[in-house]
Amino acid sequence: MGIRWAFGRLSVGVLLAELGFVAEQRGDAQSALRLHTEGLAAARATGDPRAMALSLEGLAGAHLLSGTPTRAARLLTTATRLRTSVNAPLPPAERGDVDRITAAIRTANNPEQSTRTS
């Protein structure tokens, strides 16, 4: 039966997103991209905008790790708009990954700024 069916679609999307964040933090861009893409598909199947936003935020980190900071920034913007559309902002206690990814995108897009502040 497998883990994807044991937890139901909603939980699977969140579970895959969390595993994707782990893969990203370990530097495994390929696994992070795969896990977040699968998580986004599961989230879309349920129609849960918060789970979709979480997957998009994770995809942003995975794309940043893959060397595409512009795509990462677009994904974060899409996630933010999705959360805003359903009045479900990211809680402060859950902002760690998004804040980390946002800071890394800024550094990637403006490396001179990061060397001036160091």
Side-chain angles (χ1 to χ4, degrees):
M1 204 184 251
I3 195 165
R4 285 179 176 78
W5 298 109
F7 290 99
R9 285 189 206 171
L10 179 59
S11 296
V12 169
V14 173
L15 176 64
L16 289 168
E18 293 303 328
L19 290 172
F21 280 116
V22 170
E24 179 220 337
Q25 287 289 294
R26 290 184 173 178
D28 185 351
Q30 184 177 7
S31 292
L33 285 166
R34 179 181 50 79
L35 289 161
H36 284 301
T37 299
E38 288 180 31
L40 182 57
R44 283 182 173 151
T46 66
D48 181 0
R50 293 166 300 169
M52 287 186 269
L54 180 65
S55 293
L56 291 168
E57 291 156 356
L59 275 170
H63 278 284
L64 180 64
L65 184 60
S66 297
T68 53
T70 301
R71 179 162 177 121
R74 284 194 304 260
L75 288 163
L76 280 185
T77 298
T78 301
T80 299
R81 286 182 181 152
L82 188 55
R83 286 185 182 282
T84 301
S85 75
V86 293
N87 196 26
L90 192 61
E94 297 176 19
R95 289 207 53 84
D97 287 314
V98 171
D99 290 345
R100 173 183 52 77
I101 294 165
T102 300
I105 289 169
R106 286 186 184 130
T107 298
N109 287 331
N110 193 357
E112 290 178 15
Q113 180 67 29
S114 66
T115 57
R116 278 187 251 146
T117 59
S118 302

